[in-house]
Amino acid sequence: MDSTKVSSERLQKVLPDTLAALHQVIERHQVTEEEWSAVLAFLTEVGRHDEFVLLSDVTKTSVLVDAISHEGETGVTPSDVEGPLYREDPPWREKPVKIYEEYEGVENGDVLFVRGRVASAHGTPISGAVLDIWQTGPDGGYDIWDERQPDYNFRGRFGVDEDGSYEFQTMVPKPYTVPTDGPVGRLLEATGQHPWRPAHIHFKVEAEGHEPLITQVFFPDDPYLDNDTIGAVKSALVTPLTKHESEEELRRRGLDAPFYTCEFDITLRPAMSAARA
Ligand code: BEZ
Ligand code: FE
């Protein structure tokens, strides 16, 4: 986001309140010069390490802003926090869509087919929708951390069918920790906050005439569902996994080990301008 997008009118309204709240805290806790210098040094380091989004996430500020931005929306798929690990321009994946390549460590996971249908809140399928997916592998986290994985592994964009339906092959992700090797990691440690997130898959969905959707899908029985370090779990986004192990199903999919499926239908909100037209 571009900081110049905040209008000076909003800035003149929100900034004085922000400063008043900050000054109140400093006064209430009698913050010392030494402590305030440490805060400034910490924030400087956060900027140097490009961790402001991460800081916003682990302080659950991103979740709060997401909730305010989408307050009162009904009949559409709930949005969720984007997080700092999205990468621009992921590869376009042709059908049948598979968002990963094999690598050493991939055998530690289970194949998952995610499928569903993209529709408008009006109920009509959206044949022109584009999905953009990113997630960790089953072993070693995101591509940017795991040297064994090809670049852009477990990331990809693809279109949907005429009837709005989609399917992609991935692997069941596992819980993982947010980056802990920088200043935000030190803050988590100092405040006794664990760094774990439940397993999830990120979705960005775009379609003409509709508001873009950023969301995440979670899975039942994850130990961190009630305890996500960024607090981003929404019950409507927890999606059951179905295990498939019959010989017939394995043969049909060309697999030699049991696999999973999950269904995630997506409903988009018509764009404000389209709704008014
Ligand atoms: C993630 O889900 O990728 C993520 C979200 C917030 C902070 C760090 C990672
Ligand atoms: Fe993630």
Side-chain angles (χ1 to χ4, degrees):
M1 160 163 174
D2 181 350
S3 59
T4 57
K5 281 189 183 160
V6 180
S7 71
S8 68
E9 199 184 14
R10 283 287 282 168
L11 214 50
Q12 283 169 26
K13 267 203 181 123
V14 177
L15 190 58
D17 278 359
T18 309
L19 295 176
L22 177 64
H23 292 177
Q24 211 179 45
V25 169
I26 289 174
E27 227 172 276
R28 187 177 338 130
H29 294 281
Q30 292 292 290
V31 171
T32 65
E33 280 182 331
E34 203 180 14
E35 286 168 339
W36 186 240
S37 294
V39 170
L40 298 183
F42 168 74
L43 292 176
T44 305
E45 231 192 305
V46 168
R48 274 204 197 111
H49 284 78
D50 197 11
E51 285 195 345
F52 267 110
V53 175
L54 183 59
L55 181 63
S56 163
D57 292 341
V58 302
T59 54
K60 301 184 177 72
T61 313
S62 302
V63 160
L64 175 61
V65 174
D66 172 57
I68 292 166
S69 304
H70 297 276
E71 200 175 352
E73 287 179 4
T74 53
V76 294
T77 301
S79 65
D80 210 335
V81 167
E82 177 172 325
L85 298 166
Y86 177 70
R87 291 179 71 186
E88 298 287 344
D89 301 321
W92 182 265
R93 312 276 190 188
E94 294 294 346
K95 270 176 72 177
V97 176
K98 181 177 172 188
I99 65 165
Y100 67 95
E101 290 167 45
E102 313 304 325
Y103 65 100
E104 190 200 324
V106 79
E107 66 281 3
N108 297 331
D110 297 304
V111 170
L112 167 65
F113 294 93
V114 182
R115 59 195 182 208
R117 196 165 159 266
V118 183
S120 169
H122 300 314
T124 44
I126 309 178
S127 57
V130 171
L131 274 67
D132 188 340
I133 305 293
W134 70 105
Q135 65 165 87
T136 55
D139 179 84
Y142 278 98
D143 57 338
I144 48 173
W145 303 328
D146 183 1
E147 283 167 5
R148 298 165 305 172
Q149 290 195 48
D151 209 18
Y152 286 97
N153 219 30
F154 291 104
R155 298 176 187 268
R157 298 176 79 228
F158 49 90
V160 302
D161 290 341
E162 270 304 300
D163 64 353
S165 62
Y166 72 88
E167 178 179 276
F168 66 94
Q169 179 178 341
T170 183
M171 303 211 83
V172 179
K174 301 213 170 102
Y176 67 88
T177 69
V178 301
T180 53
D181 55 353
V184 171
R186 288 207 315 278
L187 179 75
L188 292 177
E189 186 156 1
T191 54
Q193 180 176 334
H194 76 70
W196 287 88
R197 294 218 60 211
H200 58 274
I201 301 175
H202 297 267
F203 282 66
K204 242 184 221 215
V205 189
E206 291 181 339
E208 210 181 311
H210 293 80
E211 296 296 337
L213 171 74
I214 297 175
T215 194
Q216 302 181 31
V217 165
F218 304 90
F219 307 101
D221 305 322
D222 189 295
Y224 296 102
L225 272 187
D226 294 327
N227 200 10
D228 179 3
T229 196
I230 71 163
V233 177
K234 297 182 179 182
S235 56
L237 298 174
V238 179
T239 310
L241 290 170
T242 306
K243 189 171 187 180
H244 303 262
E245 44 196 345
S246 76
E247 267 180 32
E248 161 62 18
E249 286 174 302
L250 295 191
R251 192 163 11 102
R252 206 153 24 91
R253 291 287 190 175
L255 297 171
D256 52 15
F259 66 94
Y260 290 82
T261 54
C262 83
E263 312 275 337
F264 183 57
D265 289 335
I266 296 164
T267 308
L268 298 184
R269 190 159 60 99
M272 289 307 194
S273 51
R276 264 188 248 115

